[in-house]
Amino acid sequence: MKQRIITALILAPLVMLGIFELPLPLFMAVLALVALVGVWEWTQFIDTTSRYLALLPAIIIGGASYLLISPDAVSLASMNSNHYVILIIGVAWWLFSSFLAITYPKSRPWWERSNLLRHLFGVLTLLPFFWSVLFLRAEAFLSEPYHGAKLVLFVCLIVWAADSGAYFAGKSFGKYKMAPAVSPNKTIEGLIGGIITALIVAWFTADWFDIRFTNTLSMVGITFATVVISVLGDLVESMFKRVSGIKDSSNIIPGHGGVLDRIDSLTAAFPVFALLYFIF
């Protein structure tokens, strides 16, 4: 636990600094590197003789998306049909994968023996996450350079708050399991505690960051949906790790495991938040 806390205290300021201070092209490059490491860790969930070859489908699809979406500030900030299609695909994936996690192990035979589906699941996990973060970071970039950075940090803060609130509420009051076959420690009481904590953080942070929601009800609804799907996103990765017999996706982050272990909730949260924010 001590190593975990020390690592978090080092990483959190670095993440915030990167969100606010990196030029958009460099921010995109760093985010692409994070996504690539995530894909590398995901190759453990695929039955393959070469993890390097297993990287290729995601890299090819990612490159195709790069050609489809012009990655300059003006284009990223101008939401069009291509942007919305990626976000909708991401949200649809998380709704479907959440169903797989909640119904596990009954859902396991549907996909367990299909390498094609496992490749697809990895792409659907990381590609919409990558683009949704960029769409938010580029929001109003030319007129308000830090507005998008505040949006990205806002999502991170409510997800981190939900994780912390769920942990302490689950420890104190946890009784009813969410998906015991996937993650025995996650409880309904923990989820409720996480939602309440995230809503409190969202309330104050939205005002502090001057994030423009249509109204308070919109802010509460978007935060609620984002937090619930973020918790389910954590369950989804736990499901894939359980099927693959893996405890942590890697040991690249001392005390925290791998990149996927740290961003699993965020990969689910960002596409959902981005779609709802841009719509409402």
Side-chain angles (χ1 to χ4, degrees):
M1 179 60 72
K2 181 179 178 181
Q3 186 182 48
R4 187 181 181 91
I5 293 173
I6 292 173
T7 302
L9 290 174
I10 294 172
L11 283 180
L14 290 176
V15 170
M16 294 181 190
L17 188 65
I19 291 172
F20 279 89
E21 297 302 329
L22 286 179
L24 189 58
L26 187 54
F27 177 80
M28 181 167 34
V30 171
L31 186 63
L33 179 60
V34 171
L36 183 61
V37 174
V39 172
W40 170 254
E41 293 178 349
W42 191 277
T43 58
Q44 297 174 100
F45 305 153
I46 300 167
D47 184 14
T48 179
T49 56
S50 172
R51 291 178 65 185
Y52 293 102
L53 287 177
L55 285 173
L56 290 179
I59 292 174
I60 292 171
I61 295 173
S65 73
Y66 185 88
L67 297 176
L68 185 66
I69 299 175
S70 300
D72 60 277
V74 175
S75 298
L76 288 173
S78 304
M79 294 295 293
N80 59 41
S81 58
N82 289 336
H83 297 79
Y84 281 108
V85 165
I86 286 180
L87 294 180
I88 290 170
I89 289 173
V91 172
W93 157 244
W94 285 111
L95 292 175
F96 176 69
S97 62
S98 297
F99 171 77
L100 294 181
I102 292 171
T103 58
Y104 181 89
K106 290 182 179 180
S107 63
R108 181 172 176 170
W110 300 353
W111 55 268
E112 180 182 10
R113 299 184 183 280
S114 174
N115 260 354
L116 176 62
L117 286 179
R118 292 196 188 202
H119 275 291
L120 181 61
F121 291 169
V123 172
L124 291 173
T125 295
L126 290 160
L127 193 62
F129 160 72
F130 171 78
W131 285 114
S132 59
V133 174
L134 286 180
F135 296 158
L136 290 172
R137 180 64 184 86
E139 168 70 358
F141 186 78
L142 297 180
S143 58
E144 300 177 65
Y146 289 111
H147 177 66
K150 292 176 182 178
L151 284 173
V152 173
L153 184 56
F154 178 84
V155 178
C156 292
L157 289 176
I158 62 174
V159 170
W160 294 340
D163 285 345
S164 299
Y167 175 79
F168 290 109
K171 278 282 189 181
S172 302
F173 311 108
K175 182 178 179 181
Y176 298 99
K177 307 295 184 182
M178 287 182 59
V182 175
S183 182
N185 294 326
K186 291 194 181 299
T187 61
I188 299 296
E189 293 84 357
L191 174 62
I192 294 171
I195 291 171
I196 293 172
T197 306
L199 287 173
I200 293 171
V201 170
W203 183 280
F204 289 102
T205 306
D207 182 62
W208 181 27
F209 285 178
D210 192 26
I211 294 176
R212 296 180 292 272
F213 292 95
T214 304
N215 50 48
T216 301
L217 183 61
S218 173
M219 184 272 291
V220 171
I222 292 173
T223 299
F224 176 85
T226 301
V227 167
V228 170
I229 207 69
S230 75
V231 173
L232 294 172
D234 187 23
L235 281 177
V236 170
E237 200 220 342
S238 296
M239 175 182 68
F240 287 121
K241 288 193 295 186
R242 182 171 291 275
V243 170
S244 302
I246 297 169
K247 183 178 183 297
D248 293 322
S249 57
S250 75
N251 58 1
I252 193 173
I253 307 174
H256 290 262
V259 166
L260 283 178
D261 298 319
R262 288 303 88 212
I263 67 170
D264 48 8
S265 298
L266 294 173
T267 56
F270 269 104
V272 171
F273 178 88
L275 181 63
L276 295 177
Y277 180 80
F278 287 125
I279 289 177
F280 298 108

